[in-house]
Amino acid sequence: MEPYTRPFWESLRDGTVLIHACESCDERFFPPSPICPHCHSTDVDWAETTGRGTLYSFTRTHATATAFDDELVIGLVELADGPKLLAPIDASYDALEIGDDVRIEAAEYDVEHDRGWLEGYPFFAARPLD
Amino acid sequence: MQMYIIRSGLLYHIVPDTTTPAVAGIGTVPNGTHSVPERDLALRVVRDALEDASLELSTVDGLYMPAPRPWTPQGFFSTYLLHVLGLEVDRSLEVSTGGTSGGNAFHSAVSDIRDGTVETALVLAVERNSIVETTGPYFDYILKSFDAEFESPIGMTVPAAYAQSMQRYAYEYGIDRGDLADIVVKNRENGAANPNGLFDESPSRDDVLDARLIADPIRLFDCPAPCDGAAAILLTADDVDESSSPQIAVDGTGYHHTASHFLMSRETSITELPAVRRAANTATDRAGVSIADIDVFEPYAPFPHIEAIVTEELGLAERGRGVDACLEDHTAPDGPFPISPSGGCLGRGHPPMVTPLLNYVEAVKQLRGTASTQVPDAGRVLTTAEHGHVNGVTATVFATEV
Ligand SMILES: [Zn+2]
């Protein structure tokens, strides 16, 4: 059996952010899953997005798990295509406001955190758009 | 036997008469730093609860507890404890659902007494946070509770989740960030009056707003301080009256989990906490009362904006006006709907596995008239527990028996 989410990470490496679309209820959702969380149909498939969205909220940590920098800028991004996801924000905290236009893009992952089978894959980050 | 009645053209299922559990005894140690093993804290609160209830240990036939946290040296805790106590039971349970563990353990005991599986239930919680490094290992453990594939690799923390709902709450409703500090001050003042609380003093509003940043815009005193604690509660069937203490009935229980995980909700904003409303409605319906009948609220509200939103979810304030309820002293011990006269986890200190039981203990003290900050003539108390970002909630209604 293949990890269900592998296409997301393969596609991210090639520069495209994939989410999931339900053929039955037409909702878009994330994280990807073989069962639609809106209507529970299994008639679901991958859908491409532009990765564009807006900043729904954000924070800056001052302490976290051992492998990470103490100060991390993290936010919730509401994709133009619907679902929200949590992402590292590639910007300084003080420069951000709720509603800012951002885009989810692939980002090199260099933290000593065990991602299991995803070792070697990029992660993602939200970058502000001007 | 199933019974139904028809009223207003609708079919109602009549729940057959079941036993209403009563709180026979309570035992606690003060929140703080305890340098003895969890076993000794557990045995102390068990002994005190039995003494408070004037019950013999041999009457206990059920043991319910939150699963001790992974850094607790003693594993398989309930089995070990039953051996040490020389106690045989017909049910024992360790629950692991984060901050609702104590709530779910308590509700399991309530269910077993209601249906007659158990006659005398011992609900126990013990936790030491003083033995875990709050820098690395604690954060490493917490990291796993987020989506392991899409969120943990970001380095998320619990305050970083609540910080985002605070930020969004202030944005959606134009809340003055400074006003949230008044909720902290109110709870710390109540907590300072609680002899079992962690703190003797309350910071001022300016102290709260100048404290060190934890996850912007959350600062140190906006967070519940981790500490050690333990509590035990003895529940008996209503008609078993071997107790010398006044008995308090557990009149209603409710649980709800929304289809969300931390900040990942779909239809609702992260500034709404529907699980609170749903669980509280179930608990008050079961008790045959409404929120307006409740005299004291002891919610599990780990950050000030969460108390404000809980106030809104309970229908005590309009959306975005939960902070005003505190500013206008409506939530003060002498206000129309006192919230956390014990101090709550913000004012009292926070061993998360024990906090739900400390809320129950405060409910019992309010109803006995022995609380540190007593609400006059308290007859009904509603408490909650929650886990994640209030994704799952237990609600419990306590009342004096009439
Ligand atoms: Zn669907």
Side-chain angles (χ1 to χ4, degrees):
Chain A
M1 217 176 139
E2 275 284 290
Y4 187 80
T5 53
R6 190 186 290 277
F8 172 87
W9 299 104
E10 292 288 345
S11 175
L12 182 69
R13 185 142 62 185
D14 298 335
T16 303
V17 175
L18 295 182
I19 56 172
H20 248 40
C22 176
E23 310 288 331
S24 181
C25 73
D26 217 30
E27 291 281 354
R28 303 283 185 275
F29 62 91
F30 192 86
S33 158
I35 301 170
C36 170
H38 294 274
C39 75
H40 300 161
S41 166
T42 53
D43 193 6
V44 297
D45 204 354
W46 295 95
E48 286 191 8
T49 75
T50 58
R52 294 181 72 134
T54 54
L55 196 57
Y56 183 86
S57 194
F58 60 98
T59 185
R60 172 177 56 187
T61 63
H62 295 269
T64 183
T66 325
F68 298 83
D69 292 340
D70 286 339
E71 290 199 8
L72 303 170
V73 182
I74 301 172
L76 265 173
V77 174
E78 185 166 31
L79 292 171
D81 292 290
K84 292 195 280 282
L85 81 163
L86 204 61
I89 311 291
D90 193 4
S92 86
Y93 177 81
D94 293 324
L96 296 173
E97 280 184 33
I98 288 177
D100 282 352
D101 290 321
V102 296
R103 183 163 59 210
I104 300 286
E105 295 171 3
E108 187 190 345
Y109 194 78
D110 57 6
V111 187
E112 297 261 322
H113 169 77
D114 183 6
R115 291 173 68 201
W117 65 274
L118 286 164
E119 191 181 347
Y121 280 92
F123 200 70
F124 52 82
R127 302 209 165 93
L129 299 170
D130 294 323
Chain B
M1 186 177 64
Q2 304 269 19
M3 288 174 63
Y4 298 88
I5 58 165
I6 293 171
R7 188 191 294 161
S8 311
L10 294 170
L11 187 65
Y12 287 82
H13 176 208
I14 303 300
V15 180
D17 259 1
T18 52
T19 306
T20 300
V23 178
I26 53 175
T28 56
V29 296
N31 278 347
T33 300
H34 294 283
S35 56
V36 298
E38 287 77 4
R39 173 201 62 210
D40 294 358
L41 295 172
L43 292 172
R44 164 72 69 88
V45 295
V46 168
R47 188 198 67 186
D48 289 354
L50 287 165
E51 194 175 294
D52 183 41
S54 299
L55 283 174
E56 296 296 326
L57 178 58
S58 57
T59 60
V60 172
D61 56 353
L63 172 65
Y64 307 78
M65 62 182 298
R69 305 256 245 169
W71 55 83
T72 310
Q74 178 64 58
F76 224 32
F77 200 92
S78 57
T79 293
Y80 167 73
L81 192 68
L82 289 170
H83 172 69
V84 170
L85 289 170
L87 185 64
E88 294 187 19
V89 294
D90 297 322
R91 188 127 148 86
S92 67
L93 191 64
E94 288 186 21
V95 183
S96 180
T97 54
T100 56
S101 300
N104 281 320
F106 190 82
H107 284 193
S108 298
V110 166
S111 297
D112 283 354
I113 288 179
R114 278 183 189 148
D115 72 17
T117 305
V118 159
E119 281 192 1
T120 305
L122 170 60
V123 187
L124 171 73
V126 57
E127 173 168 14
R128 284 200 300 155
N129 286 297
S130 61
I131 58 169
V132 64
E133 282 291 328
T134 51
T135 46
Y138 177 75
F139 281 122
D140 291 339
Y141 154 75
I142 288 294
L143 199 57
K144 291 185 177 177
S145 50
F146 294 93
D147 182 324
E149 185 167 326
F150 293 101
E151 295 178 346
S152 304
I154 300 171
M156 273 296 285
T157 68
V158 169
Y162 284 94
Q164 293 185 61
S165 57
M166 181 187 278
Q167 189 102 283
R168 183 78 194 180
Y169 184 62
Y171 167 83
E172 284 184 10
Y173 296 105
I175 308 288
D176 178 350
R177 168 67 186 88
D179 287 346
L180 288 166
D182 281 29
I183 293 178
V184 176
V185 171
K186 183 262 295 174
N187 288 327
R188 284 290 297 267
E189 284 175 353
N190 291 344
N194 185 340
N196 285 328
L198 182 64
F199 305 108
D200 296 328
E201 299 181 334
S202 172
S204 68
R205 175 182 162 119
D206 285 346
D207 293 338
V208 176
L209 295 172
D210 291 339
R212 133 176 103 80
L213 280 162
I214 301 296
D216 302 66
I218 284 179
R219 292 172 182 269
L220 183 63
F221 301 136
D222 299 310
C223 302
C227 62
D228 304 345
I233 300 176
L234 281 162
L235 290 174
T236 54
D238 209 11
D239 48 354
V240 180
D241 191 6
E242 298 167 68
S243 163
S244 62
S245 298
Q247 289 197 353
I248 310 295
V250 184
D251 267 358
T253 50
Y255 179 76
H256 192 76
H257 201 303
T258 55
S260 62
H261 176 227
F262 280 104
L263 296 174
M264 289 301 128
S265 61
R266 295 186 185 87
E267 281 81 10
T268 46
S269 166
I270 59 172
T271 62
E272 295 183 21
L273 305 171
V276 174
R277 182 170 68 250
R278 296 284 298 271
N281 284 346
T282 304
T284 49
D285 284 353
R286 172 124 201 171
V289 298
S290 69
I291 292 294
D293 299 318
I294 304 292
D295 303 310
V296 184
F297 298 86
E298 277 288 333
Y300 185 124
F303 296 90
H305 65 298
I306 297 303
E307 177 173 311
I309 300 171
V310 165
T311 310
E312 297 164 18
E313 293 295 349
L314 293 174
L316 298 167
E318 288 173 30
R319 287 268 175 230
R321 303 296 305 276
V323 185
D324 295 339
C326 178
L327 293 175
E328 293 162 10
D329 286 336
H330 292 164
T331 61
D334 59 354
F337 45 87
I339 296 183
S340 296
S342 75
C345 55
L346 279 173
R348 194 170 67 194
H350 189 41
M353 297 301 105
V354 188
T355 286
L357 270 70
L358 295 178
N359 287 348
Y360 303 150
V361 164
E362 174 67 10
V364 171
K365 289 182 173 176
Q366 287 290 346
L367 296 173
R368 286 179 175 176
T370 60
S372 51
T373 299
Q374 180 66 43
V375 174
D377 302 321
R380 291 191 191 89
V381 185
L382 173 74
T383 81
T384 64
E386 62 92 5
H387 66 245
H389 184 270
V390 204
N391 312 103
V393 172
T394 59
T396 314
V397 174
F398 294 81
T400 44
E401 286 186 301
V402 283

